[in-house]
Amino acid sequence: MIACPAGGKETAHQIVNTGAEELRYLAVSTKLSPELVEYPDSGKFGVLAELPASAEGKPQRFMFIGRESQCLGYWDGE
């Protein structure tokens, strides 16, 4: 069992198979929305938000992966 708590770079985690056999694992999550993740090795971050179903009943979500350098100011283009 592995616990992967949320946090900054000091708690970043990954699973690496160092053996010769195929690695299989079961991941269980609380799946809170919105979900914010940071990828410290590449300087990226991600945002995922599960939204209510559309009028047609289709699931909807918002997802963005980017870097802080891509950030626009609030009034950009207004």
Side-chain angles (χ1 to χ4, degrees):
M1 181 199 250
I2 301 171
C4 300
K9 293 180 181 180
E10 66 281 355
T11 59
H13 52 272
Q14 65 178 329
I15 297 173
V16 177
N17 181 8
T18 60
E21 299 294 321
E22 178 181 26
L23 172 68
R24 295 182 185 193
Y25 64 94
L26 172 65
V28 179
S29 171
T30 57
K31 187 73 171 171
L32 297 175
S33 184
E35 175 78 20
L36 306 171
V37 297
E38 180 182 13
Y39 302 96
D41 291 346
S42 60
K44 295 184 294 191
F45 67 93
V47 178
L48 172 64
E50 301 292 336
L51 305 171
S54 68
E56 297 81 30
K58 294 182 181 179
Q60 299 185 95
R61 69 181 189 170
F62 169 81
M63 187 171 85
F64 179 82
I65 298 176
R67 291 190 168 87
E68 186 178 355
S69 62
Q70 296 171 309
C71 182
L72 299 177
Y74 181 82
W75 296 106
D76 186 88
E78 297 296 321

